[in-house]
Amino acid sequence: MGYWKSKVLPKIKKVFDKNGTKKSAAAAEACKSFDESKEQITKEFEEKKTELQPKVLEIYEASSVEIKALVKEPKEPGLKKHSVAVHKFIEELVKIEFPGSKPVSEASSKFGPALIPGPVFFVFEKVSTFIVTEEKVEPTPEAATTAAEEEREIVLVEEEKKEEVVEKKEEEEKKEEVVEKIEEEKKEVAVEAEKVEPTPTTTEPEAKV
């Protein structure tokens, strides 16, 4: 057991380390080669965009939630975690001759998606152009201030209207009170007039001649 730990395991580890280094170097070379062809891939993508859209959307809709999330927000931890699903998604893109998907699929088969994040995310970026996402629009401070001022103005206008209505009602009530008082005074005057009797006129006797 001691011999295994001291002699055999270190040798196996050394072999794996060498293989890992070679693999990483080869993956880096594949990424570099892909980067050089990005311009041509983009050009081909723009030419085939209309034709690709329905096919891409069909593949996307049939994909898992994890793949959809990676297409929208590419992140390396997610790429490592869901490498099998990522490779399968890229293979589906190869079937519809999606620009750039074939070299990415070949590199993914050799090295795994986690070692070629650049090319994978480049393809995902192109796919995402077909995906409609509703972005939340955060109001700017100026817009928020303007909205608040408008609300205050509306409230003030409503309050002014209410005050006008109240004032009109009060004016009408006062007018009614004045009219009532006038009517009462007229009645009182009429009653007083009836009470006052006319004084008799006295005629002096004519003087006899």
Side-chain angles (χ1 to χ4, degrees):
M1 191 69 181
Y3 177 80
W4 174 263
K5 283 184 178 181
S6 61
K7 300 290 181 182
V8 179
L9 277 180
K11 286 182 180 179
I12 293 172
K13 190 178 179 184
K14 196 173 182 180
V15 170
F16 275 108
D17 287 344
K18 282 183 179 179
N19 289 338
T21 304
K22 286 180 182 178
K23 194 175 181 181
S24 297
E29 191 62 33
C31 290
K32 186 181 177 182
S33 176
F34 184 86
D35 287 344
E36 290 171 358
S37 62
K38 277 182 179 180
E39 191 176 338
Q40 182 60 35
I41 291 169
T42 301
K43 187 179 177 182
E44 187 184 348
F45 173 76
E46 291 299 328
E47 289 172 358
K48 298 174 71 175
K49 203 169 184 179
T50 307
E51 178 192 340
L52 287 167
Q53 186 171 9
K55 296 175 184 177
V56 172
L57 287 173
E58 188 179 347
I59 294 170
Y60 175 81
E61 290 301 327
S63 301
S64 64
V65 176
E66 290 79 13
I67 292 298
K68 288 178 180 178
L70 274 172
V71 170
K72 290 177 183 177
E73 294 182 23
K75 293 177 181 178
E76 287 194 30
L79 188 63
K80 290 177 183 177
K81 190 176 181 181
H82 308 291
S83 57
V84 175
V86 168
H87 183 72
K88 187 179 177 183
F89 181 75
I90 293 167
E91 284 183 331
E92 291 298 318
L93 294 176
V94 173
K95 291 177 185 177
I96 64 169
E97 297 180 353
F98 192 92
S101 60
K102 193 172 181 180
V104 173
S105 176
E106 289 172 357
S108 176
S109 298
K110 290 179 183 178
F111 316 116
L115 288 178
I116 52 164
V120 171
F121 291 153
F122 180 81
V123 171
F124 279 12
E125 184 185 340
K126 297 299 180 189
V127 172
S128 68
T129 59
F130 298 117
I131 314 303
V132 179
T133 54
E134 294 181 3
E135 296 182 359
K136 293 180 180 179
V137 180
E138 295 293 334
T140 59
E142 289 179 4
T145 305
T146 306
E149 287 175 357
E150 286 177 359
E151 285 179 7
R152 285 174 189 170
E153 285 177 6
I154 291 167
V155 170
L156 287 171
V157 169
E158 291 296 326
E159 287 178 357
E160 285 175 3
K161 284 181 180 179
K162 286 179 182 178
E163 286 176 3
E164 284 177 7
V165 171
V166 171
E167 285 175 3
K168 283 181 181 179
K169 283 183 179 179
E170 288 177 355
E171 284 178 7
E172 287 175 2
E173 287 175 359
K174 286 178 181 178
K175 284 179 182 178
E176 287 177 4
E177 287 177 4
V178 170
V179 171
E180 285 177 4
K181 284 181 180 179
I182 291 169
E183 291 296 327
E184 286 178 3
E185 287 176 0
K186 283 181 179 179
K187 287 179 183 178
E188 288 177 2
V189 169
V191 171
E192 290 295 328
E194 287 177 3
K195 287 180 179 179
V196 176
E197 294 179 357
T199 53
T201 53
T202 54
T203 53
E204 292 181 359
E206 294 179 1
K208 290 181 182 180
V209 180

